[in-house]
Amino acid sequence: DLTVPYSGILEVLTTVRDKGYRLAVVSNKPQRYLDDLVHKHFPMIHFDCVYGESSTQKTKPNPQGIELALNEMNCKAENTFTVGDSVVDIETAHVCGLKCVPVAWGFQSESLLAKKAQKEVVKKPLDLLQSFI
């Protein structure tokens, strides 16, 4: 009930989508909540697929959700970015062969994410656009 998008995220998603990138959500949140969150907060954004935890869907770092999304969108891992705010996201990207963009506004420390990803962490949502455009 208290979940809201981070400031600037809607602009980032809209810009990236307008540039022709495809979008998916792969989350460890239960599917029943994830569908509601995406519909409530991003009704104007078309996501190609939205995968959350369910009785048939394993959670990250298991690659199942990422692999399903890649297959559904007919995308190659090496041409795909994942944006993540946790070590689990970084580990999943590595296992799946995705480019990872770690972000500092989640629940894990910037220093931990930088160490795990071995790259600079994006500090503000609008700075994500530099990663894609």
Side-chain angles (χ1 to χ4, degrees):
D1 290 339
L2 301 177
T3 300
V4 295
Y6 290 103
S7 179
I9 287 295
L10 184 56
E11 182 179 341
V12 169
L13 292 172
T14 301
T15 301
V16 170
R17 189 67 179 180
D18 289 348
K19 295 286 184 182
Y21 287 87
R22 302 185 71 190
L23 298 172
V25 177
V26 179
S27 174
N28 283 350
K29 289 177 178 50
Q31 186 74 48
R32 65 184 182 275
Y33 301 129
L34 186 60
D35 289 335
D36 290 341
L37 287 170
V38 169
H39 178 72
K40 177 181 177 182
H41 295 295
F42 306 108
M44 68 298 293
I45 302 294
H46 170 73
F47 291 95
D48 294 281
C49 50
V50 176
Y51 290 117
E53 182 271 331
S54 70
S55 62
T56 60
Q57 177 65 42
K58 297 176 183 174
T59 57
K60 299 177 290 184
N62 185 294
Q64 181 187 21
I66 298 290
E67 290 170 351
L68 286 170
L70 290 171
N71 286 334
E72 185 170 330
M73 295 189 302
N74 197 28
C75 294
K76 294 181 179 180
E78 61 270 15
N79 297 330
T80 304
F81 288 89
T82 186
V83 175
D85 67 353
S86 73
V87 168
V88 168
D89 293 326
I90 295 166
E91 290 171 351
T92 306
H94 179 73
V95 166
C96 295
L98 307 177
K99 298 170 191 153
C100 183
V101 180
V103 297
W105 54 84
F107 69 94
Q108 292 192 309
S109 75
E110 184 178 335
S111 61
L112 176 64
L113 296 173
K115 182 177 178 182
K116 184 68 176 180
Q118 298 183 350
K119 62 178 11 178
E120 189 173 336
V121 176
V122 175
K123 293 174 181 51
K124 296 182 285 185
L126 289 174
D127 292 342
L128 278 171
L129 295 176
Q130 296 172 11
S131 298
F132 301 105
I133 298 172

mmCIF file of all heavy atoms in Angstrom, residues 33-66:
data_model
loop_
_atom_site.group_PDB
_atom_site.id
_atom_site.type_symbol
_atom_site.label_atom_id
_atom_site.label_comp_id
_atom_site.label_asym_id
_atom_site.label_seq_id
_atom_site.Cartn_x
_atom_site.Cartn_y
_atom_site.Cartn_z
ATOM 1 N N TYR A 33 1.132 -9.761 -6.285
ATOM 2 C CA TYR A 33 1.357 -8.370 -5.886
ATOM 3 C C TYR A 33 2.035 -7.586 -7.003
ATOM 4 O O TYR A 33 1.751 -6.410 -7.211
ATOM 5 C CB TYR A 33 2.206 -8.284 -4.621
ATOM 6 C CG TYR A 33 1.597 -8.981 -3.436
ATOM 7 C CD1 TYR A 33 2.334 -9.894 -2.700
ATOM 8 C CD2 TYR A 33 0.281 -8.731 -3.049
ATOM 9 C CE1 TYR A 33 1.780 -10.540 -1.603
ATOM 10 C CE2 TYR A 33 -0.277 -9.375 -1.956
ATOM 11 C CZ TYR A 33 0.477 -10.279 -1.238
ATOM 12 O OH TYR A 33 -0.074 -10.917 -0.165
ATOM 13 N N LEU A 34 2.930 -8.238 -7.692
ATOM 14 C CA LEU A 34 3.687 -7.575 -8.747
ATOM 15 C C LEU A 34 2.777 -7.070 -9.864
ATOM 16 O O LEU A 34 2.913 -5.935 -10.316
ATOM 17 C CB LEU A 34 4.750 -8.527 -9.300
ATOM 18 C CG LEU A 34 5.712 -7.962 -10.312
ATOM 19 C CD1 LEU A 34 6.500 -6.791 -9.733
ATOM 20 C CD2 LEU A 34 6.666 -9.062 -10.776
ATOM 21 N N ASP A 35 1.843 -7.883 -10.288
ATOM 22 C CA ASP A 35 0.908 -7.464 -11.334
ATOM 23 C C ASP A 35 0.147 -6.207 -10.911
ATOM 24 O O ASP A 35 -0.009 -5.269 -11.692
ATOM 25 C CB ASP A 35 -0.088 -8.589 -11.652
ATOM 26 C CG ASP A 35 0.554 -9.743 -12.394
ATOM 27 O OD1 ASP A 35 1.584 -9.542 -13.072
ATOM 28 O OD2 ASP A 35 0.013 -10.864 -12.289
ATOM 29 N N ASP A 36 -0.306 -6.182 -9.655
ATOM 30 C CA ASP A 36 -1.027 -5.008 -9.148
ATOM 31 C C ASP A 36 -0.137 -3.778 -9.100
ATOM 32 O O ASP A 36 -0.556 -2.680 -9.478
ATOM 33 C CB ASP A 36 -1.597 -5.280 -7.752
ATOM 34 C CG ASP A 36 -2.745 -6.278 -7.760
ATOM 35 O OD1 ASP A 36 -3.345 -6.502 -8.847
ATOM 36 O OD2 ASP A 36 -3.043 -6.838 -6.695
ATOM 37 N N LEU A 37 1.104 -3.935 -8.630
ATOM 38 C CA LEU A 37 2.027 -2.807 -8.540
ATOM 39 C C LEU A 37 2.330 -2.214 -9.911
ATOM 40 O O LEU A 37 2.307 -0.998 -10.095
ATOM 41 C CB LEU A 37 3.328 -3.226 -7.862
ATOM 42 C CG LEU A 37 3.269 -3.461 -6.367
ATOM 43 C CD1 LEU A 37 4.567 -4.101 -5.875
ATOM 44 C CD2 LEU A 37 3.004 -2.161 -5.623
ATOM 45 N N VAL A 38 2.618 -3.063 -10.873
ATOM 46 C CA VAL A 38 2.938 -2.593 -12.220
ATOM 47 C C VAL A 38 1.726 -1.886 -12.836
ATOM 48 O O VAL A 38 1.851 -0.806 -13.405
ATOM 49 C CB VAL A 38 3.427 -3.762 -13.109
ATOM 50 C CG1 VAL A 38 3.498 -3.356 -14.566
ATOM 51 C CG2 VAL A 38 4.786 -4.253 -12.625
ATOM 52 N N HIS A 39 0.556 -2.481 -12.691
ATOM 53 C CA HIS A 39 -0.663 -1.873 -13.251
ATOM 54 C C HIS A 39 -0.979 -0.541 -12.571
ATOM 55 O O HIS A 39 -1.342 0.430 -13.240
ATOM 56 C CB HIS A 39 -1.841 -2.833 -13.110
ATOM 57 C CG HIS A 39 -3.127 -2.267 -13.612
ATOM 58 N ND1 HIS A 39 -3.395 -2.089 -14.949
ATOM 59 C CD2 HIS A 39 -4.210 -1.798 -12.950
ATOM 60 C CE1 HIS A 39 -4.584 -1.547 -15.089
ATOM 61 N NE2 HIS A 39 -5.102 -1.355 -13.889
ATOM 62 N N LYS A 40 -0.835 -0.481 -11.259
ATOM 63 C CA LYS A 40 -1.171 0.730 -10.505
ATOM 64 C C LYS A 40 -0.212 1.881 -10.806
ATOM 65 O O LYS A 40 -0.628 3.014 -11.004
ATOM 66 C CB LYS A 40 -1.147 0.426 -9.013
ATOM 67 C CG LYS A 40 -1.405 1.627 -8.126
ATOM 68 C CD LYS A 40 -1.338 1.238 -6.659
ATOM 69 C CE LYS A 40 -1.533 2.454 -5.762
ATOM 70 N NZ LYS A 40 -1.419 2.085 -4.340
ATOM 71 N N HIS A 41 1.089 1.584 -10.838
ATOM 72 C CA HIS A 41 2.087 2.648 -10.925
ATOM 73 C C HIS A 41 2.580 2.945 -12.336
ATOM 74 O O HIS A 41 3.128 4.021 -12.578
ATOM 75 C CB HIS A 41 3.279 2.327 -10.017
ATOM 76 C CG HIS A 41 2.914 2.301 -8.574
ATOM 77 N ND1 HIS A 41 2.496 3.418 -7.901
ATOM 78 C CD2 HIS A 41 2.870 1.281 -7.689
ATOM 79 C CE1 HIS A 41 2.229 3.099 -6.642
ATOM 80 N NE2 HIS A 41 2.442 1.813 -6.493
ATOM 81 N N PHE A 42 2.399 2.009 -13.262
ATOM 82 C CA PHE A 42 2.910 2.199 -14.619
ATOM 83 C C PHE A 42 1.871 1.829 -15.677
ATOM 84 O O PHE A 42 2.191 1.124 -16.633
ATOM 85 C CB PHE A 42 4.187 1.374 -14.820
ATOM 86 C CG PHE A 42 5.241 1.633 -13.787
ATOM 87 C CD1 PHE A 42 5.538 0.687 -12.820
ATOM 88 C CD2 PHE A 42 5.938 2.834 -13.768
ATOM 89 C CE1 PHE A 42 6.504 0.927 -11.861
ATOM 90 C CE2 PHE A 42 6.903 3.086 -12.820
ATOM 91 C CZ PHE A 42 7.190 2.134 -11.854
ATOM 92 N N PRO A 43 0.641 2.307 -15.564
ATOM 93 C CA PRO A 43 -0.383 1.894 -16.529
ATOM 94 C C PRO A 43 -0.088 2.363 -17.950
ATOM 95 O O PRO A 43 -0.567 1.764 -18.906
ATOM 96 C CB PRO A 43 -1.663 2.549 -15.992
ATOM 97 C CG PRO A 43 -1.179 3.724 -15.210
ATOM 98 C CD PRO A 43 0.134 3.289 -14.612
ATOM 99 N N MET A 44 0.729 3.402 -18.093
ATOM 100 C CA MET A 44 1.021 3.943 -19.415
ATOM 101 C C MET A 44 2.272 3.329 -20.043
ATOM 102 O O MET A 44 2.608 3.633 -21.169
ATOM 103 C CB MET A 44 1.168 5.473 -19.352
ATOM 104 C CG MET A 44 2.388 5.968 -18.593
ATOM 105 S SD MET A 44 2.501 5.539 -16.821
ATOM 106 C CE MET A 44 1.184 6.450 -16.106
ATOM 107 N N ILE A 45 2.952 2.446 -19.301
ATOM 108 C CA ILE A 45 4.170 1.800 -19.800
ATOM 109 C C ILE A 45 3.841 0.375 -20.219
ATOM 110 O O ILE A 45 3.273 -0.396 -19.442
ATOM 111 C CB ILE A 45 5.274 1.764 -18.719
ATOM 112 C CG1 ILE A 45 5.616 3.169 -18.223
ATOM 113 C CG2 ILE A 45 6.513 1.039 -19.232
ATOM 114 C CD1 ILE A 45 6.250 4.066 -19.255
ATOM 115 N N HIS A 46 4.201 0.022 -21.444
ATOM 116 C CA HIS A 46 4.008 -1.356 -21.895
ATOM 117 C C HIS A 46 5.257 -2.165 -21.553
ATOM 118 O O HIS A 46 6.347 -1.882 -22.049
ATOM 119 C CB HIS A 46 3.762 -1.422 -23.401
ATOM 120 C CG HIS A 46 3.794 -2.824 -23.919
ATOM 121 N ND1 HIS A 46 2.767 -3.717 -23.670
ATOM 122 C CD2 HIS A 46 4.729 -3.501 -24.603
ATOM 123 C CE1 HIS A 46 3.086 -4.882 -24.201
ATOM 124 N NE2 HIS A 46 4.262 -4.782 -24.777
ATOM 125 N N PHE A 47 5.086 -3.150 -20.693
ATOM 126 C CA PHE A 47 6.143 -4.118 -20.404
ATOM 127 C C PHE A 47 5.850 -5.357 -21.228
ATOM 128 O O PHE A 47 4.716 -5.835 -21.267
ATOM 129 C CB PHE A 47 6.175 -4.474 -18.913
ATOM 130 C CG PHE A 47 6.633 -3.348 -18.035
ATOM 131 C CD1 PHE A 47 5.727 -2.499 -17.426
ATOM 132 C CD2 PHE A 47 7.989 -3.132 -17.823
ATOM 133 C CE1 PHE A 47 6.152 -1.459 -16.619
ATOM 134 C CE2 PHE A 47 8.421 -2.093 -17.029
ATOM 135 C CZ PHE A 47 7.502 -1.251 -16.420
ATOM 136 N N ASP A 48 6.877 -5.875 -21.885
ATOM 137 C CA ASP A 48 6.704 -7.065 -22.709
ATOM 138 C C ASP A 48 6.324 -8.277 -21.874
ATOM 139 O O ASP A 48 5.592 -9.150 -22.332
ATOM 140 C CB ASP A 48 7.971 -7.344 -23.510
ATOM 141 C CG ASP A 48 8.228 -6.256 -24.524
ATOM 142 O OD1 ASP A 48 7.567 -6.281 -25.574
ATOM 143 O OD2 ASP A 48 9.055 -5.370 -24.267
ATOM 144 N N CYS A 49 6.836 -8.326 -20.647
ATOM 145 C CA CYS A 49 6.472 -9.398 -19.731
ATOM 146 C C CYS A 49 6.786 -8.962 -18.304
ATOM 147 O O CYS A 49 7.640 -8.105 -18.073
ATOM 148 C CB CYS A 49 7.156 -10.711 -20.077
ATOM 149 S SG CYS A 49 8.926 -10.601 -20.323
ATOM 150 N N VAL A 50 6.056 -9.567 -17.367
ATOM 151 C CA VAL A 50 6.230 -9.290 -15.947
ATOM 152 C C VAL A 50 6.226 -10.633 -15.228
ATOM 153 O O VAL A 50 5.220 -11.351 -15.247
ATOM 154 C CB VAL A 50 5.084 -8.393 -15.412
ATOM 155 C CG1 VAL A 50 5.216 -8.176 -13.916
ATOM 156 C CG2 VAL A 50 5.040 -7.061 -16.155
ATOM 157 N N TYR A 51 7.367 -10.970 -14.627
ATOM 158 C CA TYR A 51 7.497 -12.240 -13.923
ATOM 159 C C TYR A 51 7.864 -12.019 -12.474
ATOM 160 O O TYR A 51 8.828 -11.329 -12.159
ATOM 161 C CB TYR A 51 8.587 -13.116 -14.565
ATOM 162 C CG TYR A 51 8.228 -13.649 -15.921
ATOM 163 C CD1 TYR A 51 8.966 -13.295 -17.038
ATOM 164 C CD2 TYR A 51 7.149 -14.508 -16.084
ATOM 165 C CE1 TYR A 51 8.638 -13.785 -18.300
ATOM 166 C CE2 TYR A 51 6.812 -14.992 -17.342
ATOM 167 C CZ TYR A 51 7.561 -14.640 -18.430
ATOM 168 O OH TYR A 51 7.235 -15.118 -19.672
ATOM 169 N N GLY A 52 7.068 -12.619 -11.605
ATOM 170 C CA GLY A 52 7.343 -12.609 -10.181
ATOM 171 C C GLY A 52 7.314 -14.026 -9.646
ATOM 172 O O GLY A 52 7.083 -14.983 -10.385
ATOM 173 N N GLU A 53 7.511 -14.139 -8.360
ATOM 174 C CA GLU A 53 7.534 -15.454 -7.702
ATOM 175 C C GLU A 53 6.140 -16.058 -7.722
ATOM 176 O O GLU A 53 5.150 -15.376 -7.506
ATOM 177 C CB GLU A 53 8.037 -15.277 -6.262
ATOM 178 C CG GLU A 53 8.160 -16.551 -5.477
ATOM 179 C CD GLU A 53 6.882 -16.933 -4.746
ATOM 180 O OE1 GLU A 53 6.095 -16.046 -4.364
ATOM 181 O OE2 GLU A 53 6.653 -18.140 -4.591
ATOM 182 N N SER A 54 6.079 -17.360 -8.034
ATOM 183 C CA SER A 54 4.820 -18.099 -8.014
ATOM 184 C C SER A 54 5.130 -19.572 -7.767
ATOM 185 O O SER A 54 6.293 -19.953 -7.622
ATOM 186 C CB SER A 54 4.063 -17.941 -9.337
ATOM 187 O OG SER A 54 4.732 -18.632 -10.377
ATOM 188 N N SER A 55 4.108 -20.391 -7.768
ATOM 189 C CA SER A 55 4.334 -21.824 -7.539
ATOM 190 C C SER A 55 5.150 -22.457 -8.667
ATOM 191 O O SER A 55 5.781 -23.487 -8.477
ATOM 192 C CB SER A 55 2.999 -22.555 -7.377
ATOM 193 O OG SER A 55 2.233 -22.436 -8.552
ATOM 194 N N THR A 56 5.159 -21.830 -9.841
ATOM 195 C CA THR A 56 5.929 -22.361 -10.972
ATOM 196 C C THR A 56 7.147 -21.514 -11.310
ATOM 197 O O THR A 56 7.961 -21.909 -12.139
ATOM 198 C CB THR A 56 5.044 -22.469 -12.226
ATOM 199 O OG1 THR A 56 4.552 -21.174 -12.558
ATOM 200 C CG2 THR A 56 3.887 -23.424 -11.998
ATOM 201 N N GLN A 57 7.256 -20.354 -10.706
ATOM 202 C CA GLN A 57 8.346 -19.423 -11.009
ATOM 203 C C GLN A 57 9.312 -19.343 -9.829
ATOM 204 O O GLN A 57 8.925 -18.952 -8.743
ATOM 205 C CB GLN A 57 7.770 -18.031 -11.296
ATOM 206 C CG GLN A 57 8.802 -16.961 -11.562
ATOM 207 C CD GLN A 57 9.584 -17.220 -12.830
ATOM 208 O OE1 GLN A 57 9.034 -17.617 -13.837
ATOM 209 N NE2 GLN A 57 10.869 -17.007 -12.765
ATOM 210 N N LYS A 58 10.552 -19.710 -10.076
ATOM 211 C CA LYS A 58 11.579 -19.646 -9.039
ATOM 212 C C LYS A 58 12.093 -18.212 -8.915
ATOM 213 O O LYS A 58 11.998 -17.414 -9.841
ATOM 214 C CB LYS A 58 12.716 -20.599 -9.374
ATOM 215 C CG LYS A 58 12.266 -22.043 -9.413
ATOM 216 C CD LYS A 58 13.378 -22.965 -9.840
ATOM 217 C CE LYS A 58 12.846 -24.387 -9.922
ATOM 218 N NZ LYS A 58 13.832 -25.298 -10.471
ATOM 219 N N THR A 59 12.641 -17.901 -7.756
ATOM 220 C CA THR A 59 13.143 -16.554 -7.516
ATOM 221 C C THR A 59 14.615 -16.447 -7.890
ATOM 222 O O THR A 59 15.348 -17.427 -7.939
ATOM 223 C CB THR A 59 12.959 -16.148 -6.046
ATOM 224 O OG1 THR A 59 13.615 -17.092 -5.203
ATOM 225 C CG2 THR A 59 11.490 -16.070 -5.677
ATOM 226 N N LYS A 60 15.036 -15.210 -8.156
ATOM 227 C CA LYS A 60 16.441 -14.922 -8.430
ATOM 228 C C LYS A 60 17.252 -15.244 -7.170
ATOM 229 O O LYS A 60 16.730 -15.073 -6.082
ATOM 230 C CB LYS A 60 16.612 -13.442 -8.794
ATOM 231 C CG LYS A 60 15.856 -13.021 -10.034
ATOM 232 C CD LYS A 60 15.992 -11.534 -10.329
ATOM 233 C CE LYS A 60 15.244 -10.714 -9.313
ATOM 234 N NZ LYS A 60 15.253 -9.272 -9.594
ATOM 235 N N PRO A 61 18.433 -15.740 -7.298
ATOM 236 C CA PRO A 61 19.307 -15.739 -8.459
ATOM 237 C C PRO A 61 19.082 -16.872 -9.459
ATOM 238 O O PRO A 61 19.819 -16.981 -10.421
ATOM 239 C CB PRO A 61 20.704 -15.820 -7.857
ATOM 240 C CG PRO A 61 20.532 -16.590 -6.610
ATOM 241 C CD PRO A 61 19.166 -16.177 -6.093
ATOM 242 N N ASN A 62 18.061 -17.710 -9.237
ATOM 243 C CA ASN A 62 17.745 -18.708 -10.252
ATOM 244 C C ASN A 62 17.448 -17.970 -11.562
ATOM 245 O O ASN A 62 16.684 -16.997 -11.568
ATOM 246 C CB ASN A 62 16.530 -19.530 -9.810
ATOM 247 C CG ASN A 62 16.231 -20.661 -10.760
ATOM 248 O OD1 ASN A 62 15.866 -20.423 -11.903
ATOM 249 N ND2 ASN A 62 16.385 -21.883 -10.299
ATOM 250 N N PRO A 63 18.011 -18.400 -12.669
ATOM 251 C CA PRO A 63 17.861 -17.676 -13.939
ATOM 252 C C PRO A 63 16.517 -17.865 -14.637
ATOM 253 O O PRO A 63 16.277 -17.251 -15.680
ATOM 254 C CB PRO A 63 18.995 -18.240 -14.795
ATOM 255 C CG PRO A 63 19.208 -19.614 -14.265
ATOM 256 C CD PRO A 63 18.949 -19.520 -12.782
ATOM 257 N N GLN A 64 15.616 -18.645 -14.081
ATOM 258 C CA GLN A 64 14.373 -18.997 -14.768
ATOM 259 C C GLN A 64 13.606 -17.775 -15.282
ATOM 260 O O GLN A 64 13.210 -17.732 -16.449
ATOM 261 C CB GLN A 64 13.477 -19.824 -13.854
ATOM 262 C CG GLN A 64 12.174 -20.238 -14.516
ATOM 263 C CD GLN A 64 11.215 -20.919 -13.550
ATOM 264 O OE1 GLN A 64 11.312 -20.759 -12.337
ATOM 265 N NE2 GLN A 64 10.295 -21.681 -14.099
ATOM 266 N N GLY A 65 13.370 -16.792 -14.449
ATOM 267 C CA GLY A 65 12.589 -15.621 -14.865
ATOM 268 C C GLY A 65 13.251 -14.839 -15.982
ATOM 269 O O GLY A 65 12.600 -14.415 -16.939
ATOM 270 N N ILE A 66 14.562 -14.650 -15.862
ATOM 271 C CA ILE A 66 15.310 -13.935 -16.904
ATOM 272 C C ILE A 66 15.248 -14.720 -18.214
ATOM 273 O O ILE A 66 15.008 -14.147 -19.281
ATOM 274 C CB ILE A 66 16.772 -13.705 -16.490
ATOM 275 C CG1 ILE A 66 16.857 -12.831 -15.233
ATOM 276 C CG2 ILE A 66 17.591 -13.153 -17.641
ATOM 277 C CD1 ILE A 66 16.475 -11.398 -15.413
#
